[in-house]
Amino acid sequence: MASSNDTNDTSSNNTQNAPGITYADAGVDIDAGNALVEAIKPAIRSTKRAGSDTEIGGFGGLFDLKAAGYTDPILVAANDGVGTKLKVAIEANKHDTVGIDLVAMCVNDLIVQGAEPLFFLDYYSTGKLNVEAAKQVVEGIADGCRQSNCALIGGETAEMPGMYSKGDYDLAGFSVGAAERGQLLPTEDLAEGDVLIGLASSGAHSNGYSLIRKLVEKSGVAWNEPAPFAKDKTLAEALLEPTKIYVRSILAAIKETGGIKAMAHITGGGFTENIPRVLPDTLAASIDLSSVNSPAIFGWLQKIGNIAESEMLRTFNCGIGMVVVVKLDQVDEVIAVLEREGESVAKLGNLVKREGDAVLYSGALANG
């Protein structure tokens, strides 16, 4: 009869003879990660700008402020994600535009403070890495960086089995910009009579998609069917239209006119929540909604959900992705530069003395 020691020895030998467990057996494919790094190198190199080194593989990204032309800069940082718009991309198997959204949500937040975006880093996490889908996402990120003259200097890809449902992934973005000392926005001289102008959005951008997805489910329209509000696109293509990046046009207007006093990036919370973020307690924004040409997507969403206009205005951008506060005597000059740079501009109203709400509405949205 074998002793207990003999039994233990046999068990140990059996374990030693069994194949070793690898990281891949646990669901993490290092080779796939390496393949992704090689696949995205050309896209990352395409974002190179003065001051940057876009070669990846190190433990950190470098940026030279002096080489970028700054002498006494203040750094401004922003981070954001794409939210549940990613679920539309995943369910429609269309991953080439959400990377643009990721960049836009960060760099548009930088530009409202008068800061030029300099560099960007991304974080991509998933349960099981799909190299092709991830490559499309990163190529979109690189596209957004090129649009904003922002170098993609690093990032992280995390494969985390058990954290996500099959096919799901999440994104986060981090960007840093700079402005010379004394040139940050908003300025301290905001005053009654300053003019509010709006820059047209490209659609819903990256906000309100939890509600949008609920309304799509209610409508019964499939992702691959024609969009009821854009017959030349499928519903998925229309809803995945990427967030507009305003960096180049606004930088041109700032540098050429000096007439911009403040800006508000119209994201989640719409006009109602975002405009007050850049105003002093003594001033309110008076907006004529009839001056906003709200794209057809918003009229469709409003009809499907029987959504009150007030709810639309605090959930969606309703057709205006950026609100700019301009000196009264420089309105035409600022608009001319913005339109030259490709923006569609609307005069929305003025700053007035605050006696109650921070945003005052007149008129009604004109749905396109």
Side-chain angles (χ1 to χ4, degrees):
M1 186 173 182
S3 69
S4 59
N5 285 338
D6 288 338
T7 301
N8 289 338
D9 288 342
T10 301
S11 175
S12 176
N13 289 336
N14 287 340
T15 301
Q16 291 173 358
N17 292 332
I21 297 174
T22 66
Y23 210 2
D25 293 329
V28 178
D29 191 340
I30 295 175
D31 292 335
N34 291 336
L36 175 61
V37 170
E38 291 302 314
I40 63 178
K41 280 184 176 180
I44 293 174
R45 290 186 184 119
S46 73
T47 70
K48 188 175 178 66
R49 56 152 292 161
S52 72
D53 177 3
T54 55
E55 290 301 315
I56 59 173
F59 288 94
L62 306 179
F63 195 91
D64 185 341
L65 284 167
K66 186 175 181 180
Y70 287 89
T71 55
D72 187 18
I74 299 293
L75 296 180
V76 183
N79 70 292
D80 212 331
V82 182
T84 57
K85 188 173 186 177
L86 289 178
K87 291 295 290 182
V88 181
I90 292 165
E91 291 170 14
N93 194 30
K94 187 179 187 314
H95 311 283
D96 57 339
T97 59
V98 288
I100 301 175
D101 289 296
L102 184 67
V103 176
M105 295 304 290
C106 294
V107 298
N108 285 343
D109 278 354
L110 294 179
I111 195 64
V112 301
Q113 296 174 87
E116 175 192 13
L118 300 176
F119 59 85
F120 191 87
L121 300 99
D122 68 277
Y123 176 78
Y124 178 102
S125 56
T126 186
K128 182 172 178 57
L129 184 60
N130 179 325
V131 173
E132 180 55 33
K135 177 174 177 284
Q136 291 178 31
V137 171
V138 176
E139 286 175 344
I141 293 171
D143 188 350
C145 286
R146 290 191 298 271
Q147 289 184 40
S148 53
N149 193 30
C150 183
L152 179 56
I153 66 170
E156 173 72 7
T157 301
E159 192 171 31
M160 300 188 289
M163 287 289 290
Y164 298 89
S165 298
K166 184 178 180 180
D168 282 354
Y169 59 85
D170 198 10
L171 297 175
F174 311 85
S175 191
V176 172
E180 293 290 1
R181 192 177 302 275
Q183 295 182 4
L184 291 172
L185 298 177
T187 61
E188 296 181 354
D189 61 344
L190 291 170
E192 292 181 59
D194 286 341
V195 178
L196 299 165
I197 63 175
L199 308 188
S201 68
S202 55
H205 285 184
S206 298
N207 304 105
Y209 273 79
S210 294
L211 177 56
I212 289 173
R213 289 168 48 244
K214 184 177 182 69
L215 295 173
V216 167
E217 183 180 359
K218 178 179 174 65
S219 76
V221 182
W223 297 125
N224 61 355
E225 292 179 351
F229 52 89
K231 298 295 185 182
D232 59 332
K233 297 180 179 180
T234 66
L235 182 59
E237 289 170 341
L239 291 178
L240 288 171
E241 182 70 29
T243 304
K244 187 170 179 57
I245 294 175
Y246 299 97
V247 169
R248 290 180 184 268
S249 58
I250 289 177
L251 277 178
I254 289 174
K255 292 176 180 179
E256 293 181 32
T257 73
I260 294 178
K261 289 186 168 187
M263 285 175 280
H265 182 198
I266 308 304
T267 55
F271 289 169
T272 306
E273 303 294 336
N274 286 294
I275 295 175
R277 296 168 67 182
V278 298
L279 299 181
D281 293 341
T282 56
L283 294 173
S286 177
I287 295 178
D288 179 3
L289 294 175
S290 64
S291 64
V292 179
N293 183 20
S294 188
I297 178 177
F298 297 110
W300 182 73
L301 293 169
Q302 187 174 16
K303 182 178 180 181
I304 292 296
N306 191 29
I307 303 172
E309 185 173 77
S310 59
E311 183 69 11
M312 294 291 294
L313 289 166
R314 68 190 302 267
T315 304
F316 301 113
N317 67 60
C318 293
I320 299 294
M322 189 75 71
V323 172
V324 184
V325 183
V326 183
K327 295 178 182 178
L328 179 61
D329 60 354
Q330 290 188 269
V331 173
D332 291 342
E333 182 184 1
V334 171
I335 290 177
V337 174
L338 291 170
E339 289 182 338
R340 184 198 73 202
E341 296 296 316
E343 301 296 348
S344 178
V345 184
K347 292 183 180 179
L348 302 177
N350 300 85
L351 293 186
V352 298
K353 182 179 179 180
R354 189 185 302 191
E355 297 178 345
D357 293 337
V359 183
L360 308 172
Y361 299 109
S362 61
L365 290 171
N367 290 314

